[in-house]
C-alpha cells in the first residue's frame, strides 16, 4: 500500500485486492523518521484510476462478443496487467496519531509519501490503545478479527444515545444488549416498549427463566400499571390534559380550580373528579370539554380509585435498586393512552429524580416520535439530562428524531441504511464526518453496527453484534411459513 | 537483468506511444518523386465471394531504462475474418532487457529465427532496437500468415517500400513471392505518407473522389537510392468519410488481380472511414496501453527483483518549465 494523496482530512491510498482491505478497516501509516504513526480509517474502496484503463476496457468490451481468439503469453504478463487493472484506491479519513504508542487527536502533521509504511491496524490493537472497555465492559459483539468488542458502561452514563438502522437490521437486538449490559452493573433502565419486544427479556430462548428474570419488570398500562389520582402532581396532570388530550386554555384553568378544590377536600379520586366536573359552575362548553377528557382518562384504564390496584413508581424503583429494567409495555395501547402513560412516567421520573429518590435512569425510547410530545425533545437533551435521565432513542426512521438530538448525541449505534435521505439525516451527528456515515453505513452487513462517539473514543468501529440467549419478541409475524412452501411445492411441479 | 535497477522514462507513456509506436507503424520511407506522375481514378465495387481476410500488426514500446541498457516490450497480433467471423492470435507481450553487450546477440537471434539469415547483421543503435525488434516480429508474423493462408487477402500496416533497415529488400521480396505463390494478395495500407503529387499530400487526393474507388498513381520511380518500391501505389477511398489511405499492391501481380483483391476486401470485411476492420483490430490487439506498461514493469520488478529508480530529468532541472521535449 502506498500513500497517494491528501485532501483535507481525506487520504487516498493505493492498494491491491490481495491486501484484503474493507470499508471500516483501520490503517496505520508509519513515518519512522519522525517516529509517528497516523491512524486512518478506510471509508470507501474504489478502483484506482489507472492510466490507459479505459482503452483497455473498451478494447475488451468491443471485441469480446464478436472476436474470438487466443493469446500466446508464455511469460504470463497478462496476470500482472490484470493485477494493475484491479488496483484499488482506498479513501481514508484521518482519525488521529499514535505518538510513542499513545493515541492523540493531533493530526497537524503529514507522513512522508515516499518513505512511509502502511499496514492494517487491527480493531483489537486500536481498542487496546484507546483503553476501551476495561472498567465496566459491556460485550457488544466481535470485531472483524473475531475478537470481542466491548464498550465501557461509563461511556453511556450521562449521555444521549441513538440506535438507528433500517427495518430488520437488529436495532432492538442491540438495544436489548445495552439494556442487559447496564442492568449487569446495577443501573436502572426504563424502556418505552412500543411493540412489546422487551417483555421477555427475563426468559431464555427455550422459554426458561434467565438470570435477568427477577430484574426485568414488565409494566402493562391498565393491567399491572395503574395509578391513583392522589399520586399525581397537578403539573403532570395538566401536561397529560394539555399535551396528550389537547385541553384548551380556558378549560385548563377551570380544571386547575377543580383539582385544587378536590385536593383541599382530600378527595382526589376519579369518581370525585367526575362529580366535581358535573356540578362545577362553569360554561357548558368548558364542562363538555372537561368531561370528554375525564372520560378519556377513565377509559384509558390507567387510573384507578382502588387503592390495592394502584402502584407507585417508587415501589418499582425500589425493586431495581441493584439493577433492573422497567419495561413499559405500550403494545396494544392506543396512541392517546400511550401519550398519557408516557407523560405520567416522564413527569414522575423528573419528580423522583428532583427529590433524589433515585440517582439516575437510563431511558430507552423505541420510536419515540409516536408518543413523545414536541417539547420533550429539547427537554431530554437539556433539562432531563441534568436531572439524570439518560436517553437512548431507538428508531428506524431517523428523520423523526430532531436534528439537535443528532448534534448532541454522544453515541450513535448505526446499523445498515440504504436510503440516501436516512443517511443524510444521521450524518448530521457531530461526532463524525458525514462521509464516514454515508459510506460505511450504506454497506453494513446484517447485524453489523457502526459505533460512533464516546464509547469508541471517536474512532468509528464496525462491530458484528453478538447473539444472546434471550427470547426475542421483535420478529415480524409472517403469513407464509416454511411449512407452507413445502406443501405448495408439489403443486408447483 | 537480475538485481539491476531500471528507470521508466520520465516523458511518460503517451510520449513513448507517439515516439516509438508511430515510428514504424505509420510512417513510410521516403521515395524521391519527380513531376511526371499521373493519376487515374478506378471505380470499384464489392465482390461478394467468400475470401478470407487477414491482417498483421505489431507494437513495440520502451518500458524503461536500466543502468546498463533499456527495457522494451513487443507484441504482435494476427486477425483474420472468415465465415463472417473475426478471430485473432496474439503473441506477447515479450519484455526484453537490451544492453550494448547483448543487443547484437538478441538482434541476430531474432533475424535468424525470422528469415534464417546466417550472416551477422549490424545491430542498430540501442534506442532503435525496440523498433527493429518489432519489425522483425512483424515480418515473422507476415511470413507465417503468408505461408499458411491460401487465396486470401492479407493486410499489412505500412507500405511495400523496401531497402531500409526495417524492410530489407530480400525479406520483403521473399514475403511477396511466398504470398503470390499461394495465391494471396498483399494490400499494404499506410495511414501517413510523405509522397506528394504537385505539392499535395497523396492521401489528400481522395477527398473529392466518389467512394469506393482507387486512385492509381503512375510514374513513381521503382528505385530511389537504396529504397525500392515493390508495389503499385494507390490512394484508397473505400467508404464515405474524410479519410483515404495510401495503398500499395504487389507490382508482380496483374493490375486486375490487385483491384479484384480490393473488391474482395470490400465484399468480405467491414470498412469504416476507408480502413479495414481486420487491420484496425490487429492494431487494437497489438498496441500497448499505459496499464499494460505498468503491468510489464510490475512483472520485471517482481520476477527479476528490479528496483525502479527515478532518473532526474536534466532538461527540467536546467530549464524548469521551459525544459520541454524529450531528454537529451
Amino acid at each position: 500500500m502506498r500513500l497517494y494523496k491528501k485532501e483535507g482530512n481525506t487520504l487516498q491510498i493505493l492498494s491491491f485486492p490481495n491486501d484484503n482491505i474493507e470499508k471500516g478497516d483501520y490503517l496505520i501509516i508509519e513515518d519512522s523518521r519522525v517516529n509517528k504513526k497516523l491512524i486512518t480509517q478506510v471509508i470507501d474502496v474504489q478502483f484506482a484510476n489507472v492510466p490507459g484503463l479505459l482503452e483497455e476496457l473498451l478494447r475488451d468490451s468491443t471485441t469480446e462478443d464478436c472476436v474470438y481468439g487466443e493469446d500466446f503469453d508464455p511469460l504470463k504478463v497478462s496476470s500482472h496487467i490484470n493485477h494493475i487493472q484491479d488496483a484499488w484506491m482506498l479513501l481514508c479519513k484521518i482519525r488521529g496519531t499514535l505518538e510513542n504508542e499513545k493515541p492523540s487527536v493531533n493530526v497537524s502533521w503529514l507522513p512522508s509519501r515516499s518513505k512511509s509504511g502502511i499496514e492494517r491496524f487491527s480493531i483489537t490493537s486500536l481498542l487496546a490503545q484507546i483503553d476501551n472497555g476495561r472498567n465496566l465492559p459491556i460485550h457488544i459483539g466481535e470485531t472483524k478479527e473475531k475478537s470481542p468488542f466491548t464498550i465501557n458502561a461509563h461511556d453511556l452514563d450521562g449521555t444521549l444515545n441513538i440506535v438507528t438502522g433500517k427495518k430488520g437490521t437488529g436495532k432492538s437486538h442491540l438495544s436489548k444488549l445495552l439494556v442487559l449490559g447496564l442492568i449487569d452493573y446495577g443501573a436502572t433502565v426504563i424502556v418505552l416498549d412500543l411493540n412489546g419486544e422487551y417483555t421477555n427479556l427475563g426468559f431464555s430462548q427455550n422459554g426458561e427463566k434467565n438470570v435477568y428474570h427477577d430484574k426485568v419488570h414488565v409494566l402493562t398500562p391498565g393491567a399491572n400499571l395503574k395509578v391513583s389520582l392522589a399520586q399525581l402532581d397537578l403539573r403532570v396532570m395538566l401536561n397529560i390534559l394539555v399535551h396528550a388530550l389537547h385541553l384548551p386554555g380556558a378549560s385548563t384553568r377551570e380544571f386547575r380550580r377543580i383539582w385544587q378544590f378536590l385536593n383541599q377536600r382530600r378527595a382526589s379520586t376519579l369518581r370525585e373528579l367526575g362529580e366535581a366536573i358535573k356540578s362545577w359552575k362553569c360554561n357548558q362548553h368548558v364542562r363538555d370539554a372537561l368531561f370528554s377528557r375525564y372520560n378519556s382518562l377513565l377509559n384509558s384504564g390507567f387510573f384507578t380509585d382502588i387503592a390495592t390496584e394502584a402502584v407507585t413508581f417508587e415501589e418499582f424503583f425500589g425493586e431495581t435498586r441493584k439493577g433492573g429494567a422497567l419495561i413499559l409495555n405500550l403494545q396494544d395501547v392506543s396512541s392517546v393512552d400511550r401519550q398519557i402513560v408516557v407523560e405520567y412516567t416522564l413527569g414522575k421520573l423528573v419528580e423522583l429524580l428532583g427529590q433524589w429518590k433515585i440517582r439516575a435512569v437510563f431511558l430507552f425510547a423505541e420510536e419515540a416520535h409516536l408518543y413523545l410530545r414536541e417539547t420533550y425533545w429539547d427537554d431530554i437533551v437539556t433539562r432531563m439530562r441534568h436531572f439524570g435521565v439518560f436517553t437512548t432513542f431507538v428508531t428506524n426512521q431517523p428523520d423523526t428524531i430532531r436534528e439537535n438530538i443528532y448534534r448532541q448525541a454522544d453515541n450513535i449505534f448505526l446499523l445498515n441504511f440504504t436510503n440516501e435521505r436516512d443517511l443524510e439525516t444521521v450524518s448530521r451527528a457531530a461526532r463524525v464526518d458525514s462521509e464516514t456515515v454515508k459510506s460505511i453505513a450504506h454497506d453494513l452487513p446484517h447485524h453489523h453496527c457502526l459505533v460512533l462517539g464516546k464509547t469508541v473514543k471517536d474512532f468509528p468501529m464496525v462491530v458484528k453484534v453478538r447473539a444472546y440467549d434471550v427470547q426475542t419478541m421483535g420478529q415480524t409475524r409472517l403469513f407464509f411459513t416454511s411449512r407452507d412452501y413445502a406443501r405448495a411445492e408439489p403443486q408447483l411441479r | 537483468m537480475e538485481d539491476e535497477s531500471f528507470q521508466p522514462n520520465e516523458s511518460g507513456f503517451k510520449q513513448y506511444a507517439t515516439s516509438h509506436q508511430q515510428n514504424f507503424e505509420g510512417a513510410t520511407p521516403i521515395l524521391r518523386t519527380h513531376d511526371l506522375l499521373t493519376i487515374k481514378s478506378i471505380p470499384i465495387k464489392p465482390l461478394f465471394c467468400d475470401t478470407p481476410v487477414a491482417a498483421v500488426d505489431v507494437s513495440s514500446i520502451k518500458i524503461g531504462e536500466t543502468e546498463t541498457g533499456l527495457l522494451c516490450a513487443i507484441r504482435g497480433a494476427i486477425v483474420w475474418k472468415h465465415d463472417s467471423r473475426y478471430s485473432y492470435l496474439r503473441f506477447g507481450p515479450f519484455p526484453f532487457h537490451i544492453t550494448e553487450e547483448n543487443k547484437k546477440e538478441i538482434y541476430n537471434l531474432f533475424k535468424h529465427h525470422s528469415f534464417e539469415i546466417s550472416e551477422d547483421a549490424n545491430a542498430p543503435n540501442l534506442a532503435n532496437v525496440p523498433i527493429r525488434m518489432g519489425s522483425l516480429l512483424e515480418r515473422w508474423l507476415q511470413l507465417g500468415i503468408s505461408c499458411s493462408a491460401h487465396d486470401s487477402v492479407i493486410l499489412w500496416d505500412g507500405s511495400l517500400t523496401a531497402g531500409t533497415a526495417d524492410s530489407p529488400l530480400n525479406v520483403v521480396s521473399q514475403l511477396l513471392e511466398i504470398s503470390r505463390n499461394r495465391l494471396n494478395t498483399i494490400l499494404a495500407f499506410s495511414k501517413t505518407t510523405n509522397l506528394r503529387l504537385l505539392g499535395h499530400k497523396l492521401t489528400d487526393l481522395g477527398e473529392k473522389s466518389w467512394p469506393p474507388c482507387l486512385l492509381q498513381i503512375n510514374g513513381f520511380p521503382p528505385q530511389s537510392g537504396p529504397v525500392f518500391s515493390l508495389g503499385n501505389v494507390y490512394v484508397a477511398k473505400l467508404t464515405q468519410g474524410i479519410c483515404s489511405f495510401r495503398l500499395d499492391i504487389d507490382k508482380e501481380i496483374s493490375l486486375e488481380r490487385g483491384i479484384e483483391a480490393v473488391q474482395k476486401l470490400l465484399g468480405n470485411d467491414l470498412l469504416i472511414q476507408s480502413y479495414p476492420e481486420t487491420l484496425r483490430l490487429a492494431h487494437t490487439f497489438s498496441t500497448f496501453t499505459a496499464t499494460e506498461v505498468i503491468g510489464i514493469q510490475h512483472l520485471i520488478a517482481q520476477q527479476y527483483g528490479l528496483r525502479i529508480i527515478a532518473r532526474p530529468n536534466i532538461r527540467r532541472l536546467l530549464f524548469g518549465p521551459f525544459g520541454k521535449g524529450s531528454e537529451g
Side-chain angles (χ1 to χ4, degrees), chain A residues 127-161:
Chain A
L127 285 170
Q129 295 285 357
I130 62 175
D131 201 26
N132 201 56
R134 289 217 183 142
N135 215 341
L136 301 173
I138 299 177
H139 184 198
I140 296 290
E142 58 181 30
T143 64
K144 193 186 164 192
E145 302 100 39
K146 309 280 181 204
S147 59
F149 176 87
T150 57
I151 59 167
N152 195 339
H154 271 307
D155 294 329
L156 296 177
D157 202 4
T159 60
L160 177 67
N161 313 303

Side-chain angles (χ1 to χ4, degrees), chain A residues 74-313:
Chain A
L75 296 174
K76 305 272 182 256
V77 182
S78 58
S79 64
H80 292 266
I81 294 166
N82 292 341
H83 183 69
I84 300 298
Q85 284 179 336
D86 289 339
W88 286 351
M89 191 59 77
L90 309 176
L91 289 191
C92 306
K93 285 285 175 190
I94 299 172
R95 300 291 183 213
T97 298
L98 263 187
E99 206 168 348
N100 300 320
E101 302 307 313
K102 292 278 175 203
S104 75
V105 288
N106 169 29
V107 287
S108 57
W109 67 289
L110 190 63
S112 158
R113 180 149 62 176
S114 56
K115 306 284 182 199
S116 295
I118 303 175
E119 57 184 44
R120 187 198 297 273
F121 192 33
S122 70
I123 301 280
T124 318
S125 311
L126 180 58
L127 285 170
Q129 295 285 357
I130 62 175
D131 201 26
N132 201 56
R134 289 217 183 142
N135 215 341
L136 301 173
I138 299 177
H139 184 198
I140 296 290
E142 58 181 30
T143 64
K144 193 186 164 192
E145 302 100 39
K146 309 280 181 204
S147 59
F149 176 87
T150 57
I151 59 167
N152 195 339
H154 271 307
D155 294 329
L156 296 177
D157 202 4
T159 60
L160 177 67
N161 313 303
I162 297 170
V163 179
T164 186
K166 72 179 178 196
K167 228 163 61 178
T169 49
K171 296 178 303 299
S172 301
H173 178 88
L174 175 61
S175 307
K176 286 171 202 167
L177 259 180
L178 296 174
V179 169
L180 297 178
L182 289 166
I183 292 175
D184 283 339
Y185 295 113
T188 301
V189 182
I190 294 183
V191 181
L192 302 178
D193 184 8
L194 192 70
N195 300 312
E197 293 176 47
Y198 296 75
T199 53
N200 279 6
L201 272 184
F203 295 92
S204 304
Q205 278 172 341
N206 58 12
E208 289 175 8
K209 291 176 185 175
N210 63 20
V211 290
Y212 298 102
H213 186 263
D214 294 335
K215 294 186 172 184
V216 175
H217 309 280
V218 181
L219 309 176
T220 307
N224 65 343
L225 179 60
K226 289 185 179 184
V227 294
S228 64
L229 289 191
Q231 290 171 240
L232 252 72
D233 185 53
L234 173 63
R235 188 179 49 82
V236 176
M237 188 46 133
L238 288 181
N239 278 341
I240 291 172
L241 292 173
V242 173
H243 298 297
L245 301 174
H246 308 291
L247 186 69
S251 307
T252 308
R253 280 192 293 278
E254 283 306 326
F255 183 84
R256 188 189 291 268
R257 287 189 201 113
I258 294 171
W259 185 268
Q260 282 163 350
F261 167 76
L262 291 173
N263 258 2
Q264 282 166 6
R265 294 185 57 195
R266 296 186 181 280
S268 297
T269 63
L270 275 176
R271 199 178 63 82
E272 292 293 332
L273 179 63
E275 291 300 322
I277 294 170
K278 219 183 279 180
S279 57
W280 200 257
K281 284 180 185 168
C282 63
N283 178 295
Q284 187 58 35
H285 293 296
V286 170
R287 191 192 318 281
D288 289 348
L290 289 174
F291 218 78
S292 75
R293 270 52 174 203
Y294 170 74
N295 280 330
S296 296
L297 294 177
L298 206 61
N299 293 335
S300 70
F302 182 58
F303 299 97
T304 181
D305 284 343
I306 304 166
T308 51
E309 275 185 356
V311 292
T312 63
F313 266 79

